[in-house]
Amino acid sequence: MGVLTLFATGKQLTAIKFGDCRPVDFPGQPCQVVDEACRQLDSYFSGRLTAFDLPLLPAGTPFQKKVWHELLGIAYAHTISYKQLALALGGANLARAVGLANGQNPLPIVVPCHRVIGADGAMTGFAGGLNVKRWLLAHEQRTAGMVLF
């Protein structure tokens, strides 16, 4: 996976970025929500957590937030297509807009945009790269039967 950098308001997680995104001179302050997010991410990567329970505050348009909220309903180790997601939000004609909103998800992994794939099963865009998306989906498939809580 590499490095993930987490951002928060102090009480809510606002973004997860792939790579070390902190300015070099930024000292970093202890943050309870970031600490909890790190604990939950560690549990997820260890195969012990299937759903995150964190206070989230993603910045986006009302439509983007609606899409991201819908992503939270995709079950662990399952995938849906952009078309299925668009249908859930009101119609197949929204597929392109859904895809764009999915690509702008500021909280990847926690808000599982990696679980959205092409209608033909093809892997399509992901902020962390397609290799990371494949790894996340394979990880969930591999660990789905061993989740402890």
Side-chain angles (χ1 to χ4, degrees):
M1 288 297 309
V3 174
L4 295 174
T5 302
L6 284 64
F7 298 87
T9 63
K11 295 190 183 283
Q12 297 166 303
L13 194 62
T14 59
I16 298 173
K17 303 285 184 185
F18 291 93
D20 189 350
C21 303
R22 292 172 292 141
V24 175
D25 60 348
F26 184 72
Q29 299 293 324
C31 178
Q32 192 172 16
V33 72
V34 169
D35 291 343
E36 180 59 23
C38 288
R39 278 189 288 280
Q40 289 188 31
L41 283 163
D42 182 57
S43 291
Y44 169 83
F45 288 121
S46 299
R48 299 184 320 261
L49 183 78
T50 62
F52 294 91
D53 182 18
L54 297 164
L56 306 176
L57 185 63
T61 68
F63 180 76
Q64 288 172 327
K65 290 178 181 181
K66 193 173 173 182
V67 171
W68 302 334
H69 179 75
E70 196 70 26
L71 296 174
L72 294 170
I74 305 171
Y76 184 83
H78 289 84
T79 60
I80 66 169
S81 70
Y82 291 97
K83 182 179 179 181
Q84 289 171 307
L85 185 54
L87 288 169
L89 290 163
N93 61 324
L94 296 174
R96 185 178 203 83
V98 163
L100 291 171
N102 197 54
Q104 295 298 314
N105 174 17
L107 292 160
I109 305 169
V110 171
V111 177
C113 55
H114 61 278
R115 295 181 189 151
V116 184
I117 60 174
D120 61 356
M123 294 293 136
T124 55
F126 184 67
L130 292 181
N131 286 338
V132 171
K133 183 173 184 166
R134 283 185 197 94
W135 187 91
L136 289 167
L137 292 172
H139 165 72
E140 291 182 4
Q141 288 291 316
R142 187 173 52 252
T143 60
M146 61 180 263
V147 175
L148 302 176
F149 56 92

